[in-house]
């Protein structure tokens, strides 16, 4: 069939009634097809759009097998149904809106840091450290490499992993540039099927040289949350509305409340006291020295009137080696802070870093990590400053502002234990 010069090279071409005296059959132009349309852009009588295209030529570039297509015309597909089809779900209104919001939030995060004088750093994806020390690391080795007997068994000569955090590398650069950030993929071999964990997620991390109190870190977290959310909601109001009206009714008011109010602060010790006084049965009994579980985080946020809350000064034994020792006696704590938000729980984790070489050295010695982290101790010997920073999970952030229940619905291709589709 000869191609019309006005139409793409692919597919069949039909002309509308007026030009060829032939009507499109509904079997030819089906829901889901890719089409090329020519016509006039005219003023639209519809309320929610200014213009519409009055079609003169319609060309079906890629027909759609409508029987097999998992998306159905004029049907509302719940997010958990769509999750089964990561190869087509981006064509729906909800995933389309999500992807635009995700893109806008990414741009707003970069703008926030640029406007506030931070340097953007690409921290490595392959690393030889397990920053968090939680052992949730994926090891990296070539799939098919034969080694000679006696040859080093590792491709990089040392065990190498996918990054669980860019923090330690950011600390290196912060020593030269003061305020730095990174925003990239992060990997955790967390064997949970929870609604807030992924094996691959995006993390925004900032590091501030000369930060001497947790107040500086909390201020940066609160500013980031509020400025980025304002920017995203004002640049994509229709997309945000789709979530706030149809996916999570009532969410708009909740977000407004978070933006309007100053975030609350409480120490870990106060948090445990509040939990102990709660008229609620928890699965995990709250006890000083034990980690806060998501049921505890939910209760604390509720207790604070659904306003985000910073919990600071966690037990020394619960936290990674790099956090600054508060030297506060029997209830020994470190200068750590988590930001808990409605609907999600922990959104950000941060701390002041241990900048005293002797403290750091003895802690690493006790953990048997002194050799591995000699370079990190060196940073404290070669012109260090007090400093601190934080990380914010990007998918948890999107869940929080949009009211989406499952983290797998705010990332186009979710990876979690037992699932790596596409
Ligand atoms: O609290 P985390 O483990 O802190 C760090 O990694 C620090 N090194 C960050 C820093 O200070 N530069 O992780 C930070 C945030 C969490 O609060 C959470 O929002 C998110 O990353 N996160 C996850 N998001 C999705 N899936 C997972 N498995 C996550 N683990 C952490
Ligand atoms: Mg944490």
């Amino acid at each position: 069939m000869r191609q019309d010069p006005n139409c793409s090279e692919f597919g069949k071409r039909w002309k509308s009634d007026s030009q060829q005296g032939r009507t499109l059959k509904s079997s030819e132009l089906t829901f889901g097809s890719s089409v090329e349309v020519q016509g006039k852009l005219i003023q639209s009588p519809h309320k929610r759009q200014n213009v519409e295209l009055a079609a003169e030529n319609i060309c079906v570039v890629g027909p759609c097998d409508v029987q097999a297509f998992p998306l159905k015309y004029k049907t509302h597909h719940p997010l958990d149904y769509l999750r089964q089809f990561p190869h087509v779900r981006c064509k729906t209104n909800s995933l389309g809106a999500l992807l635009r919001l995700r893109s806008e939030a990414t741009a707003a995060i970069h703008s926030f840091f640029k406007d506030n004088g931070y340097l953007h750093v690409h921290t490595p994806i392959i690393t030889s450290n397990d920053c968090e020390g939680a052992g949730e690391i994926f090891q990296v080795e070539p799939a098919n490499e034969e080694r000679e007997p006696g040859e080093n068994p590792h491709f990089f000569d040392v065990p190498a992993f996918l990054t669980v955090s860019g923090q330690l590398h950011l600390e290196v650069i912060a020593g030269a540039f003061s305020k730095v950030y990174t925003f990239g993929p992060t990997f955790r071999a967390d064997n949970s099927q929870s609604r807030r964990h992924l094996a691959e997620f995006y993390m925004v991390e900032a590091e501030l040289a000369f930060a001497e109190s947790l107040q500086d870190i909390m201020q940066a977290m609160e500013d980031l949350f509020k400025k980025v959310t304002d920017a995203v909601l004002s640049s994509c109001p229709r997309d945000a509305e789709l979530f706030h009206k149809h996916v999570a009714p009532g969410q708009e008011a909740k977000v407004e409340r978070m933006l309007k109010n100053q975030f609350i602060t409480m120490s870990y010790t106060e948090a445990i006291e509040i939990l102990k006084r709660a008229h609620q049965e928890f699965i995990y009994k709250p006890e000083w020295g034990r980690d806060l579980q998501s049921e505890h985080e939910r209760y604390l946020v509720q207790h604070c009137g659904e306003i985000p809350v910073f919990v600071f000064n966690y037990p020394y034994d619960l936290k990674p080696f790099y956090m600054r020792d508060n030297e506060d006696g029997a209830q020994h704590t470190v200068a750590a802070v988590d930001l808990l938000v409605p609907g999600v729980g922990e959104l950000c984790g941060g701390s002041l870093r241990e900048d005293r070489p002797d403290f750091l050295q003895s802690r690493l010695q006790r953990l048997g990590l002194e050799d591995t982290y000699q370079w990190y101790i060196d940073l404290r010997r070669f012109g260090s400053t007090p400093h601190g920073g934080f990380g914010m999970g990007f998918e948890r952030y999107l869940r929080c502002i949009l009211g989406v229940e499952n983290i797998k619905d705010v990332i186009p291709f979710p990876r979690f234990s037992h699932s790596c589709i596409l």
Side-chain angles (χ1 to χ4, degrees):
M1 181 184 184
R2 223 189 126 262
Q3 295 295 318
D4 186 287
N6 295 327
C7 198
S8 98
E9 284 181 23
F10 310 101
K12 284 162 116 185
R13 173 167 188 273
W14 286 268
K15 280 198 168 179
S16 73
D17 232 2
S18 58
Q19 288 173 300
Q20 216 176 44
R22 180 178 177 282
T23 315
L24 277 175
K25 284 193 232 144
S26 58
S27 60
E28 293 168 338
L29 180 62
T30 57
F31 177 66
S33 305
S34 290
V35 294
E36 201 175 278
V37 182
Q38 290 182 342
K40 280 204 182 74
L41 205 56
I42 58 167
Q43 200 173 7
S44 173
H46 294 283
K47 267 197 210 132
R48 286 167 65 93
Q49 62 188 27
N50 295 331
V51 289
E52 62 185 41
L53 188 64
E56 286 162 4
N57 293 325
I58 299 180
C59 165
V60 177
V61 177
C64 177
D65 175 354
V66 80
Q67 293 306 321
F69 193 42
L71 310 178
K72 304 297 170 205
Y73 182 57
K74 289 215 166 177
T75 303
H76 168 71
H77 300 295
L79 291 175
D80 56 350
Y81 169 80
L82 294 176
R83 214 178 293 145
Q84 304 169 77
F85 311 104
H87 58 314
V88 295
R89 70 174 178 164
C90 58
K91 296 187 179 209
T92 61
N93 287 342
S94 47
L95 259 288
L98 182 271
L99 290 173
R100 278 188 296 274
L101 288 157
R102 209 183 142 99
S103 170
E104 207 59 44
T106 302
I109 286 168
H110 285 294
S111 297
F112 170 83
F113 284 115
K114 190 161 194 285
D115 294 347
N116 287 282
Y118 286 76
L119 179 88
H120 178 224
V121 181
H122 290 116
T123 49
I125 288 174
I126 299 177
T127 169
S128 53
N129 75 66
D130 171 12
C131 173
E132 296 305 295
E136 295 171 338
I137 39 178
F138 290 104
Q139 189 153 349
V140 179
E141 291 295 342
N144 302 308
E145 190 162 344
E146 289 188 6
R147 305 232 159 231
E148 299 296 326
E151 201 186 341
N152 190 306
H154 301 297
F155 180 88
F156 295 106
D157 286 359
V158 290
F161 316 102
L162 296 180
T163 182
V164 294
S165 163
Q167 177 197 319
L168 304 188
H169 300 97
L170 273 189
E171 284 187 62
V172 171
I173 314 285
F177 282 88
S178 296
K179 294 209 288 188
V180 295
Y181 79 101
T182 190
F183 182 8
T186 308
F187 307 87
R188 304 226 174 150
D190 186 331
N191 201 359
S192 89
Q193 296 285 330
S194 90
R195 289 176 302 166
R196 58 183 206 160
H197 290 92
L198 290 167
E200 178 183 283
F201 62 100
Y202 277 71
M203 200 187 336
V204 183
E205 293 184 88
E207 198 66 32
L208 294 83
F210 303 105
E212 288 194 52
S213 83
L214 278 181
Q215 188 53 44
D216 298 338
I217 310 300
M218 293 191 267
Q219 193 62 55
M221 290 183 194
E222 185 166 344
D223 288 349
L224 172 70
F225 181 91
K226 289 183 171 171
K227 291 263 167 57
V228 169
T229 307
D230 263 339
V232 171
L233 298 183
S234 57
S235 56
C236 301
R238 297 261 304 266
D239 291 326
E241 188 185 301
L242 184 147
F243 284 91
H244 292 167
K245 286 232 163 88
H246 304 296
V247 177
Q251 186 64 18
E252 192 179 1
K254 288 185 190 164
V255 175
E256 246 171 55
R257 198 171 163 69
M258 293 189 237
L259 296 179
K260 244 183 20 220
N261 289 283
Q262 195 180 345
F263 293 0
I264 290 166
T265 53
M266 68 170 71
S267 69
Y268 166 87
T269 304
E270 286 172 79
I272 293 293
E273 280 161 14
I274 291 169
L275 292 167
K276 281 186 164 174
R277 285 199 303 269
H279 300 292
Q280 183 174 323
E281 279 289 310
F282 294 113
I283 299 169
Y284 296 90
K285 196 166 172 256
E287 205 68 68
W288 203 99
R290 292 196 195 146
D291 229 342
L292 295 182
Q293 302 295 324
S294 63
E295 56 176 346
H296 303 143
E297 294 175 350
R298 267 198 310 276
Y299 182 87
L300 291 170
V301 172
Q302 212 178 33
H303 177 87
C304 294
E306 301 294 329
I307 293 167
V309 53
F310 291 111
V311 179
F312 61 91
N313 288 354
Y314 281 75
Y316 179 93
D317 289 329
L318 287 182
K319 292 293 184 182
F321 67 87
Y322 55 74
M323 295 194 177
R324 196 171 201 278
D325 188 343
N326 282 330
E327 296 179 90
D328 46 1
Q331 290 200 328
H332 190 181
T333 65
V334 284
V337 59
D338 279 1
L339 174 61
L340 314 182
V341 295
V344 170
E346 181 191 334
L347 172 66
C348 300
S351 72
L352 293 182
R353 317 307 188 192
E354 185 55 82
D355 55 322
R356 297 160 294 184
D358 47 337
F359 275 70
L360 187 60
Q361 183 140 12
S362 57
R363 188 156 191 194
L364 285 168
Q365 219 165 22
R366 283 197 298 280
L367 294 166
L369 293 171
E370 200 186 359
D371 292 341
T372 317
Y373 288 106
Q374 191 52 54
W375 65 270
Y376 190 70
I377 300 169
D378 277 354
L379 294 181
R380 277 69 181 160
R381 294 169 50 225
F382 304 150
S384 183
T385 66
H387 63 287
F390 68 93
M392 177 178 88
F394 185 51
E395 286 73 22
R396 289 193 189 180
Y397 167 74
L398 292 171
R399 270 191 67 201
C400 171
I401 62 161
L402 302 178
V404 174
E405 287 216 337
N406 197 316
I407 198 164
K408 300 172 186 86
D409 299 326
V410 293
I411 186 165
F413 303 106
R415 272 82 181 90
F416 50 98
S417 60
H418 311 298
S419 179
C420 186
I421 309 177
L422 308 195

